[in-house]
Amino acid sequence: MEIALRRVHDSDLPVFYRQMNDPESLEMAAFTPKDPADRDVFEAHWKKIRASSAVLRTILADGDVVGSTAVYGEPGEREVTYWVDRAYWGRGIATAALRALLSEVPERPLFARAAADNAGSLRVLEKCGFRPTAWAAGYANARGGEIEEVVLRLEP
């Protein structure tokens, strides 16, 4: 399977919206918008981040849109994020996409956060060189309560 990144197109947004409303994906990600089904909030969020200094990319698998990945935030505190359609989990797509993004964005350090029980996401981050540096508790909208999260760092 060929994994590639490209700039986000307007036509990707409906795909991202559908992906981000999958109940199992929301449960696993945990830290999601309060109401992921609110299309206006979704559209406003994407408009804001597309106008920011974030590096946003669409993830393609054999030419199909299967997710997104990004680096965002203030210099010295920038974080990575990614979302892969559940139908494509377990195929190495998130790892390949994150590695491609990291080669495109050379600045370090970079940070990431994941629910402490999201073994798949933690595995992706560790394969890409991120190391746990802290544990915290945060409110997870998708789970309706506070959960433990892991903060990870990628060094130069």
Side-chain angles (χ1 to χ4, degrees), residues 4-9 12-13 16 46 56-60 64-69 97:
L5 301 182
R6 67 158 163 74
R7 292 188 183 277
V8 173
H9 297 168
D12 300 333
L13 298 181
F16 297 164
W46 276 94
L56 306 169
R57 297 293 179 259
T58 295
I59 303 169
L60 302 171
D64 293 330
V65 174
V66 298
S68 62
T69 187

Side-chain angles (χ1 to χ4, degrees), residues 130-153:
F130 285 83
R131 298 293 173 247
T133 59
W135 285 258
Y139 188 82
N141 286 318
R143 300 188 190 176
E146 199 166 278
I147 67 167
E148 188 173 298
E149 71 176 330
V150 180
V151 179
L152 303 99
R153 181 180 171 116

Side-chain angles (χ1 to χ4, degrees), residues 76-107:
E77 299 176 9
R78 290 169 63 88
E79 292 190 31
V80 300
T81 186
Y82 49 89
W83 190 285
V84 173
D85 188 307
R86 184 168 50 92
Y88 293 87
W89 288 0
R91 298 184 192 183
I93 293 170
T95 301
L98 184 56
R99 282 183 177 146
L101 181 68
L102 294 174
S103 70
E104 186 177 331
V105 180
E107 81 180 74

Side-chain angles (χ1 to χ4, degrees), residues 106-119:
E107 81 180 74
R108 303 290 184 268
L110 291 174
F111 297 89
R113 297 173 177 270
D117 62 356
N118 187 340

